[in-house]
Structures are given as structure tokens and as C-alpha cells.
Amino acid sequence: MMRLRRAIQWLRNLKLAQKLILINSVLIVIPLGALGVYAFSSFRGTLETNVGESQLQTMKQVTLNIDTYMEELNRLSLMPYQYQDILDYLASERKPGASLGLEEISLLNNFVSKVFLNGRIDIMGVSLYGSKGASYVVMPESQYVTTYKLDEDAEWIKEAQGQFGEPIFLTTHELKSTSGSVYEVFSIVRELRSFDSGKPLGYVVLDVDPAVVGQILAQVQLGRRESLYITNSKGDLVIRKGSVVPEVDGAVTPFRGEGVTHLEADGERLLVSYATSELTQWTTVGAVPVSELMQDSLQVRNSITIMGIICVGLAMLFSVFTAYRITLPIRKLSRLMKKVEKGQLEVAFPVNQWDEVGQLGSAFNKMVSRLSELGYLLYETEIREKDAQIAALQSKINPHFLYNTLGSISMYAELEGSKEITTMTNNLSRILRYSLNAHQSGVVLKDEIEHIRRYMAIQKLRYDERLHFKLEIAAEALDCAVIPLMIQPIVENSFKHGLDKGIGEGRISLTGEIQEGLLRLTVEDDGIGLTTTQLDHIRRQLAYSRDLGGETGNGLLNVHRRIVLCYGERYGLTIDSMPYQGVRVTLAIPAKHMSTNEENQESAVFHSTS
């Protein structure tokens, strides 16, 4: 399982071109290999079938030729029935070794001569055996013999008795003449019966030279290791041609009927065809090693293999070329991305087609173009920020001068006993002191709220009983980091567009809490509110305008853009209003708590500028 996972991971980590080559290799090699194996197996099976059928037809023809020859022998074995004297001789009762009369000798010699002189048959011996002791045996290079005593227990006699006058054919055996010579013969035996009673009279035996059958087998052309042989019903070998004879436990394998089969002999697989003669009950068998048959098929196999290797090689070359050709634009795009990663934005992907790669290249070009624009905007923003810081440094002298002047006024007002002037000048001087540090990257909400308190203290002296200010800030929100001077413009907007234009008292509330990771500050008044047109105009400005407020002093737009630039498009201001029902402005930024060290650093900077 672990190896399988490693193999899958290795496959996943391959480059795209290598994956395509590997997949194409599998899709090419496996089908072609399977096709080659199937084609060779089919060819081999067809070849064996055709050879087997051809061999079977040859066995049938050989069997037919042998049957034609054996039919002549069969007719010769019927000759005793043409001579009543011969039948009478066989039926006569004789003692072993009894001499024959001249007439009997002449009769028997005449019969044997006719058998030997009949046609093309190569008869080597003729034997007549009577059931009551008569006998007349003629063998090669021998005089006739009349002393043969019939052995009732002989195997061939038992077989002949079971055939009821039909001939039997004895397999090849040795025949020894009176001179001592030994001959290889096969024999045809027929039991002779009386025409009147049907009782057995004796037997006629014709001994035949197997060379005649050998000449029939010789007409069949055999391969180098092919063999042809004949067996009887028991599997005894009659005659053979060739060297390969399938044996089981040292005995020749018997076959009956006709057909084609496979056998194992000496560890070798043989294709065997056989056909059995209905006349002789002998089976003609042809055997050939399958490896011999496959000699020609090896050339076919080698041809298929060579062609397969050539086709696979060409296919693989084409696959490699195609894979690298297809992945070339992707590799080019990958190199361009690495350049962009290093900050080189002056690149472009050539789009020459509109497939998936072309669309990806087009998107890449748009992305690079957008990155260039964002880089320029970021550079421009940094330049503006530097310019603003320089301008703030240049204008510091004026707030310091005003701050010192306000300190002097506060001192004289206190000497004169005017508490209102003292309170107003002190709050204004602290507001100016806080404003001097507006270039800081951030302050905590507690400092911003304190700034609003001083601002509202001054406004309270201005509007007296007309102004009601409500402040509710959650304790956990006081240490959140905020942008300096982001609440005062919103509160000031409530005075400018609310209380200054209204009649009677006015209420302004500032609430703050943390919800779902966001710091939400809400400034709400009960002034004359905004019309639908005015509200839509302000919302469009907040959503689409990139201006920072300009000379018009639009405090809401300025605060919103500062928040967006600092935290992202998800944050900023939302405004709701209805005519004569006031305005509600909600400010949302991420709730990030400032650490104690950072707070102390901010306080140290604040006090150092006072």
C-alpha cells in the first residue's frame, strides 16, 4: 500500500510532458503488445488446427490404402472355401506326424501355389490347421510341415474363435523357418467353418512381409522429426516410420476412432492425428512435435515483434514530439511567471491560438498589466504620502505657534477668572497637540475618543443647551488600533449638515463595539437628514470615487478612502438617512488590539511633541 502511494505521488510530481509521454507509452505498448500476442496465438492455433486436419486426412488416406491391400489378403484367406478337398482335409482326424498320401500332397501343394502366385501379394508363408490334428505349414526356405500341433490356448486362436469366421490381423511378429532363419511378418487369420453344420473346421494363416505396408507408409513425406506408425487395438506396434512414438509408462499410447489430439512425450508436446481401420482394427497414427510445426511460426512471431518494435518506436517518437510541442506554451508561460515573481513585469505571453492555453496566456497578460497598474498606483500613493509628510513638517511651525499663543490666552483668561475661555483654550490646545501627531501610523481608540471628548467640550460651549452628546464605547474596544482623526470628520459632518441647519436642540451619539471581528463605530444625529438624491450621490462617491476629498473638505469621503487604502475594499463607511430623521454613519475596520508596548510607544511620542 505504501509503495502504491509512493508510485502515485511520483506520478503526480512528474512534469506534464513526462506524464503525457508515460500515458501515451502505456496506451501504445499495452494495446500493441496484446494485439501482437493475440495475433500470434490465433495464428499458432490456426496453424495447429490446419496441420492437424491435413495430417488426419493423410492418416485416412494411408488407412484406406492399407485397407485396399488387406482386402486382397482377406479374399485370399477365403480360397479354402473354393476347394472342398481342402476343407475335407482339415476336417479329417489325424495324428501328429502322420504321413500324407500323394494325392493329398499334390492337392495341398497346388492350393499353396495358387496362393503364392495370386497377384502382387507378397506372401511369405501359408498355414492350414485342422481342428482334429491335420496341419500343413509352408514357411520361407522350408519344406512343408505336417507335424504342427494346434495350441488351443494360443492368443490368436482365441481371437479368431471370437470373430465367427471373420478375419483377424496379427501384428508384426517373428517367423522362424526350419533352416533357422527368422523373418518379420504380420499375419491374417481366418477361422474356417463347415457350410453344412457351421462347425469350426480349422484355420488358415497367411504370413505377409511387412515391407508391403512399409512401402505404403513410404509414400507419405515426413518432416525431420515427424513419425508415422500403426498399432493394433491393444496398442501393440505393427510398423513404424520415423523416430517419435508417444509412449505412456513404456507402452505405445493406444488410439481408437479418428481425430486430432495433443500428447506429452519425453517432455515434449506432440500433435497427434489418428484413424482406425474398420477392416483390420489397426490405427494409423501420425505424430509431430509442436515445436517442429512452430518453426515457420517463429518467423511470423519475429516479424510481428520487429514490426511491433518499429511501430512502438515511431509512436513513441511522435508521442515525445507531440507532448513537448503541446506543453511548450505552458513551459514558456511558466518561465514568464518566474520572471514576474522576481519583479519583471515587462513581459507578455504571445497568444497564437484560442484554446485553453491561449485563454490562460491572455489571462496572464491581463494579470501582468493589472499588476503593473497596481504597482504604479502604489508608487504614486507612496509619493503622495511622502509629499503629505513633508507638507505636514513644513506646516508644523504654524500649529506650534498657534498652540503657544493659545497657551498664553488660557493663562491670561485664568488670571481674569474666565473659566469658559480657559476650558475652551485648553481643549483647543490639546486638540492641536493631538493633530500634530496625525502622521502616526495608528493610535488606539481610547486616544481617538479622548480627542472627540475635547472637541465636543468646545462645541458644547458653543451650542450650550442646544447640544446633547451621548458616548457609549465597549470597554474591550478601547485598545483597538485605529487611524488617527477618523472619527472627528464624521462628528463634524453631523454639526455641519445637521445641527447647524436645524432649529432647536440637537442630539449626537457615538457608539462603538466589536462584532464578528470588526470594530463598528456609529455616529448618529437627529438633524434634517438627507434626501434620496443626496444619499445616492454620497453612496456613489463612497463606492466609486478615488478622490481623497480635495479642497472641498469632504470629510466622509476622506475618511472612507483612508480606511480603504489602509485595510482594503471590504471596510469603510456606510451611510443611512431619511429626510428630517437624521443621518447615521457606520464605520467598520478590523478589530486589532494594540499591545501595551505599542501603546506606551505611542504615548511617548505624543508627550514628546507637546
Side-chain angles (χ1 to χ4, degrees):
M1 192 66 179
M2 199 67 171
R3 292 182 179 179
L4 179 60
R5 291 180 179 176
R6 290 178 180 176
I8 294 175
Q9 188 62 37
W10 173 80
L11 182 61
R12 289 178 177 175
N13 293 336
L14 285 179
K15 294 183 179 179
L16 184 58
Q18 295 173 341
K19 288 181 181 177
L20 290 175
I21 294 172
L22 180 60
I23 293 173
N24 289 337
S25 301
V26 172
L27 295 179
I28 291 171
V29 173
I30 291 180
L32 281 181
L35 181 61
V37 172
Y38 173 76
F40 179 72
S41 300
S42 299
F43 170 77
R44 182 171 180 170
T46 303
L47 179 62
E48 289 190 25
T49 301
N50 292 339
V51 171
E53 289 297 329
S54 176
Q55 197 175 38
L56 178 60
Q57 294 303 319
T58 302
M59 297 304 103
K60 288 182 178 180
Q61 186 61 47
V62 171
T63 301
L64 180 61
N65 294 339
I66 294 176
D67 284 351
T68 301
Y69 171 68
M70 293 300 182
E71 189 63 40
E72 295 180 5
L73 294 180
N74 186 34
R75 286 195 297 270
L76 288 177
S77 68
L78 292 172
M79 286 183 64
Y81 286 113
Q82 300 176 10
Y83 301 93
Q84 185 60 41
D85 294 337
I86 298 297
L87 296 178
D88 293 339
Y89 172 75
L90 293 175
S92 64
E93 185 174 350
R94 291 182 179 271
K95 295 181 180 180
S99 60
L100 300 177
L102 292 175
E103 292 184 0
E104 291 176 331
I105 293 174
S106 176
L107 174 66
L108 292 171
N109 283 335
N110 183 45
F111 171 76
V112 171
S113 298
K114 290 182 179 179
V115 173
F116 279 113
L117 296 176
N118 193 302
R120 306 179 306 276
I121 306 303
D122 189 8
I123 304 298
M124 298 187 68
V126 179
S127 301
L128 294 172
Y129 301 103
S131 60
K132 295 182 179 181
S135 65
Y136 187 82
V137 178
V138 178
M139 293 182 292
E141 301 179 359
S142 305
Q143 294 292 329
Y144 65 88
V145 178
T146 61
T147 60
Y148 183 83
K149 183 179 180 181
L150 190 62
D151 185 5
E152 295 292 340
D153 294 330
E155 188 69 27
W156 64 270
I157 292 179
K158 293 180 180 180
E159 291 184 20
Q161 290 175 346
Q163 295 299 319
F164 302 99
E166 292 296 325
I168 64 170
F169 295 85
L170 302 181
T171 185
T172 305
H173 58 279
E174 292 183 351
L175 180 65
K176 188 174 182 180
S177 66
T178 56
S179 64
S181 300
V182 179
Y183 298 90
E184 288 284 336
V185 297
F186 70 88
S187 304
I188 176 172
V189 179
R190 182 183 291 274
E191 184 184 35
L192 300 176
R193 291 177 176 264
S194 173
F195 285 118
D196 297 331
S197 64
K199 294 181 178 180
L201 299 176
Y203 304 91
V204 58
V205 179
L206 302 180
D207 297 317
V208 186
D209 188 355
V212 177
V213 178
Q215 290 175 3
I216 297 175
L217 297 183
Q219 297 175 1
V220 180
Q221 298 295 325
L222 299 180
R224 183 173 58 88
R225 301 178 60 199
E226 190 174 357
S227 66
L228 183 64
Y229 62 95
I230 298 175
T231 63
N232 62 6
S233 59
K234 297 179 181 179
D236 298 328
L237 191 64
V238 177
I239 192 171
R240 64 187 290 179
K241 179 184 179 182
S243 59
V244 180
V245 177
E247 296 180 350
V248 177
D249 296 332
V252 178
T253 305
F255 296 97
R256 300 296 297 170
E258 63 179 44
V260 180
T261 186
H262 290 85
L263 287 179
E264 292 287 339
D266 297 329
E268 192 170 31
R269 192 163 177 260
L270 303 178
L271 178 66
V272 179
S273 302
Y274 56 91
T276 302
S277 169
E278 295 182 0
L279 176 63
T280 63
Q281 299 303 310
W282 289 355
T283 302
T284 305
V285 182
V288 58
V290 175
S291 59
E292 188 76 12
L293 293 177
M294 294 300 107
Q295 289 294 330
D296 294 335
S297 68
L298 291 178
Q299 297 180 357
V300 177
R301 183 195 64 185
N302 295 337
S303 299
I304 292 176
T305 303
I306 292 173
M307 290 301 298
I309 293 175
I310 293 175
C311 291
V312 169
L314 293 176
M316 289 302 301
L317 289 176
F318 180 74
S319 174
V320 172
F321 173 78
T322 304
Y324 278 98
R325 185 68 178 176
I326 291 176
T327 57
L328 178 61
I330 299 178
R331 295 198 304 274
K332 184 182 296 185
L333 184 59
S334 177
R335 289 194 295 267
L336 292 178
M337 284 184 174
K338 290 180 180 179
K339 290 183 178 180
V340 172
E341 185 179 358
K342 295 179 180 179
Q344 302 179 21
L345 300 180
E346 298 80 12
V347 296
F349 180 80
V351 180
N352 299 321
Q353 66 267 9
W354 198 241
D355 55 2
E356 289 81 356
V357 177
Q359 296 177 13
L360 184 62
S362 178
F364 171 79
N365 291 339
K366 292 180 181 178
M367 180 192 72
V368 172
S369 177
R370 182 61 177 165
L371 285 176
S372 299
E373 293 178 3
L374 291 176
Y376 177 77
L377 291 176
L378 179 61
Y379 174 75
E380 185 180 16
T381 301
E382 291 178 352
I383 293 298
R384 290 183 178 181
E385 183 178 354
K386 295 298 181 182
D387 291 342
Q389 291 178 1
I390 293 173
L393 290 174
Q394 291 175 344
S395 60
K396 259 189 177 183
I397 187 171
N398 294 329
H400 273 293
F401 174 75
L402 181 58
Y403 167 73
N404 293 331
T405 304
L406 288 174
S408 300
I409 295 173
S410 176
M411 182 182 64
Y412 282 113
E414 188 173 356
L415 292 176
E416 295 295 329
S418 178
K419 294 181 180 181
E420 291 80 3
I421 296 175
T422 301
T423 300
M424 184 176 293
T425 52
N426 286 336
N427 286 328
L428 182 57
S429 64
R430 290 173 182 173
I431 288 175
L432 290 175
R433 181 189 299 173
Y434 184 77
S435 299
L436 289 176
N437 295 279
H439 65 279
Q440 293 178 152
S441 59
V443 296
V444 293
L445 180 61
K446 179 175 61 177
D447 295 336
E448 187 74 1
I449 295 301
E450 187 62 29
H451 174 70
I452 295 301
R453 287 179 185 275
R454 298 186 185 110
Y455 175 78
M456 293 305 296
I458 295 175
Q459 296 294 349
K460 183 69 174 176
L461 293 173
R462 176 183 174 189
Y463 290 97
D464 197 14
E465 298 298 330
R466 289 182 59 199
L467 175 61
H468 300 278
F469 177 65
K470 180 180 179 183
L471 179 64
E472 292 182 358
I473 304 296
E476 65 271 14
L478 292 176
D479 61 345
C480 289
V482 297
I483 300 175
L485 301 176
M486 71 175 187
I487 302 177
Q488 180 188 338
I490 303 175
V491 176
E492 185 177 351
N493 187 77
S494 297
F495 284 104
K496 183 177 180 181
H497 301 284
L499 193 61
D500 282 350
K501 295 183 179 181
I503 299 175
E505 297 180 355
R507 289 177 172 78
I508 298 175
S509 65
L510 171 60
T511 59
E513 61 182 344
I514 297 176
Q515 294 180 348
E516 298 178 356
L518 295 178
L519 173 61
R520 296 184 182 274
L521 300 173
T522 303
V523 178
E524 189 172 1
D525 65 70
D526 60 352
I528 61 174
L530 300 172
T531 63
T532 302
T533 302
Q534 291 173 328
L535 181 61
D536 291 341
H537 175 70
I538 295 175
R539 285 177 173 174
R540 280 195 301 271
Q541 282 188 310
L542 294 177
Y544 303 110
S545 177
R546 295 295 181 265
D547 193 3
L548 295 178
E551 297 179 355
T552 60
N554 192 332
L556 295 181
L557 182 58
N558 183 281
V559 172
H560 179 74
R561 291 309 304 161
R562 287 168 63 201
I563 292 175
V564 169
L565 289 174
C566 184
Y567 299 109
E569 297 286 344
R570 293 177 51 194
Y571 309 98
L573 302 183
T574 57
I575 184 169
D576 297 291
S577 178
M578 292 186 66
Y580 304 104
Q581 295 187 17
V583 177
R584 181 176 61 205
V585 179
T586 302
L587 181 151
I589 62 173
K592 296 182 180 179
H593 295 276
M594 184 177 290
S595 63
T596 304
N597 291 335
E598 291 175 334
E599 262 188 83
N600 293 336
Q601 290 175 3
E602 294 292 344
S603 300
V605 172
F606 176 81
H607 291 298
S608 65
T609 58
S610 56

